[in-house]
Amino acid sequence: MTAQMLREAGFAARHPGAGESPEHTYTYLFCDLMTDQVIAELPLADVTYSTELNGIGVLSATVPYNAETAPLDPEAATVPGRTAIYVDRDGVLVWGGIIWTRHPNSRVSKQIQAAEFLSYYQRRYVKSTLATDPSLLTNTAYVPDGQRLYPDQKYVMWSLLQYAHAQPGGNPGITTSLLTAPPHGISRNLSYFGFERPEIYKAIAELAASDDGFDFGIEIGWTAAANNNPPKRFRQARTWYPRRGRTADTSGLVFVKGGPGSTILEYDWPEDGTATATEISALGAGTGEAKVSAVVQASDLLGSGWPLLETVTTYDTVVDTAQIQGLAAAELTARAGAQTNPTFVVTADDDPAFGSYSVGDEALFVIDPEPICPAGRSGVLRITGIENTAAAGPERVRLTCAGV
């Protein structure tokens, strides 16, 4: 389907009036990580921020040190490791995370790098054995008071975060109430051995990546004003099962390149066979012949003439055979066939406008015929990353996608 066909079918993009550059109001709030109290509201320059599906988006910005910001004490307001930063766009919180690095990039400014709140759990580890099997435990009470995990995969994530939060100084104000009932209905047999110090974020990511797994993240936003109380910020961990986002049929999202309704400014739609696999070997915990392992093959591809292309993946903390089998199957699904991770730079204010889609959504992408693509190209892709640059003039949004 070409862009012209889409327009004839009524999918024309909506554009601002000729010459218009919509202005968006950005506010940057710097808060104490543990209490969420506002330290300062600072102006920033060269701001780029991103979100990732089941990953950790980042923010990069320049903090000016000048007569305007001096009374706000930008040095105290941007301390790495203990300061949260929020990006408010037109009254909507579109990004939140933790400042991790700061360094001078001129005599009158400093560069800050931040990562979304999930990055906190890259710096937290399991120090006491946690398991669904009580025979491995000295304290069989459930987490956080004991070491036992509820077997449902949603509750495993809840237990890992509750374990982290129960320790002194270990709760950065991230609520876990959305990780309670109802369960996903997928039971796991898991053990996290304290002597191995498994990273909590990695443990959750591996659990989510299993066959029949889930999507996860930390949502931020403003609560609704009620009973004369002003809106408050929230940070909440949550899961989406079986997946986050809308299908293309449900979302109705269409990005096109070509003609007056074009919304794609640039694109890179590569095909990469180097990451393709038709067989996955997944290795879990253990040593020697006792190591937990699984091998899965794409029999349909092998039967149709594809060569045997092997990949080995390692999951050091996985002790359950069923889980390692599921991880191998999920990896094979992701790697089967020619790999493609297209990126598209799109306009922010044309339809679909920035804010009307999120990571996990599917969209139809259409490229009109052009010299490097004589027949044109179209396909439904899933948005796995969104990056926006808050610069003067029209915003440009970079979408990273994956096949569905």
Side-chain angles (χ1 to χ4, degrees):
M1 182 178 289
T2 66
Q4 181 60 35
M5 293 168 63
L6 284 169
R7 285 188 287 275
E8 292 172 355
F11 284 97
R14 297 190 296 272
H15 293 261
E20 288 185 22
S21 296
E23 294 293 331
H24 296 284
T25 301
Y26 273 95
T27 303
Y28 305 102
L29 301 175
F30 294 80
C31 304
D32 181 88
L33 176 61
M34 301 303 291
T35 67
D36 206 37
Q37 292 298 307
V38 175
I39 303 170
E41 179 184 317
L42 295 171
L44 296 178
D46 306 318
V47 181
T48 299
Y49 58 94
S50 66
T51 57
E52 293 185 18
L53 180 66
N54 299 335
I56 299 171
V58 296
L59 174 143
S60 175
T62 298
V63 182
Y65 281 54
N66 53 32
E68 178 187 358
T69 61
L72 304 174
D73 196 355
E75 192 75 0
T78 60
V79 177
R82 65 164 301 168
T83 306
I85 175 175
Y86 295 94
V87 178
D88 182 300
R89 180 182 185 265
D90 298 335
V92 177
L93 289 181
V94 294
W95 198 92
I98 304 168
I99 297 174
W100 290 113
T101 66
R102 177 178 68 182
H103 63 87
N105 61 352
S106 74
R107 296 183 62 184
V108 293
S109 65
K110 287 190 177 182
Q111 184 82 13
I112 58 170
Q113 297 282 344
E116 290 181 302
F117 287 113
L118 273 175
S119 63
Y120 174 72
Y121 301 102
Q122 291 181 309
R123 292 156 180 84
R124 295 299 307 278
Y125 298 86
V126 176
K127 296 176 289 188
S128 299
T129 296
L130 306 178
T132 53
D133 181 358
S135 69
L136 299 175
L137 308 175
T138 57
N139 183 346
T140 57
Y142 285 105
V143 172
D145 297 323
Q147 298 169 266
R148 191 174 177 184
L149 303 174
Y150 293 98
D152 188 89
Q153 62 181 5
K154 182 180 181 182
Y155 298 160
V156 171
M157 178 173 169
W158 178 89
S159 295
L160 289 170
L161 297 187
Q162 290 295 96
Y163 167 82
H165 295 172
Q167 298 173 57
N171 187 351
I174 294 171
T175 63
T176 58
S177 58
L178 294 182
L179 300 180
T180 55
H184 291 169
I186 305 298
S187 293
R188 305 292 186 186
N189 181 18
L190 297 167
S191 298
Y192 302 104
F193 294 105
F195 58 82
E196 293 180 340
R197 292 296 194 270
E199 177 194 300
I200 289 178
Y201 169 76
K202 183 179 179 182
I204 294 171
E206 288 181 353
L207 175 66
S210 299
D211 197 28
D212 210 11
F214 56 94
D215 293 328
F216 67 97
I218 294 178
E219 288 187 324
I220 62 165
W222 293 106
T223 63
N227 300 321
N228 295 321
N229 293 318
K232 294 182 179 180
R233 291 176 299 280
F234 63 81
R235 316 167 183 169
Q236 57 190 22
R238 66 169 299 180
T239 64
W240 293 263
Y241 178 78
R243 50 160 286 165
R244 180 179 185 176
R246 302 164 292 174
T247 64
D249 289 342
T250 302
S251 74
L253 297 169
V254 181
F255 297 91
V256 298
K257 187 177 193 302
S262 181
T263 54
I264 298 174
L265 303 174
E266 304 169 12
Y267 74 95
D268 181 19
W269 201 331
E271 295 171 290
D272 180 7
T274 62
T276 300
T278 53
E279 179 182 286
I280 298 289
S281 294
L283 306 179
T287 58
E289 295 300 321
K291 181 178 282 290
V292 178
S293 65
V295 178
V296 294
Q297 285 189 336
S299 55
D300 55 338
L301 293 179
L302 292 170
S304 66
W306 278 80
L308 179 62
L309 302 170
E310 300 172 299
T311 294
V312 178
T313 57
T314 301
Y315 305 93
D316 294 330
T317 63
V318 177
V319 298
D320 181 58
T321 301
Q323 188 187 5
I324 205 72
Q325 185 80 23
L327 286 165
E331 183 74 8
L332 183 66
T333 299
R335 289 179 175 266
Q339 295 297 297
T340 174
N341 290 105
T343 58
F344 302 87
V345 177
V346 302
T347 57
D349 291 289
D350 298 325
D351 186 24
F354 177 73
S356 67
Y357 48 83
S358 65
V359 290
D361 282 340
E362 293 178 4
L364 174 63
F365 291 83
V366 181
I367 307 299
D368 265 2
E370 55 185 8
I372 62 170
C373 190
R377 188 171 186 179
S378 66
V380 172
L381 301 169
R382 192 179 188 199
I383 300 171
T384 59
I386 302 173
E387 179 185 276
N388 195 359
T389 299
E395 294 173 302
R396 293 160 63 93
V397 181
R398 180 177 296 275
L399 305 178
T400 302
C401 301
V404 297

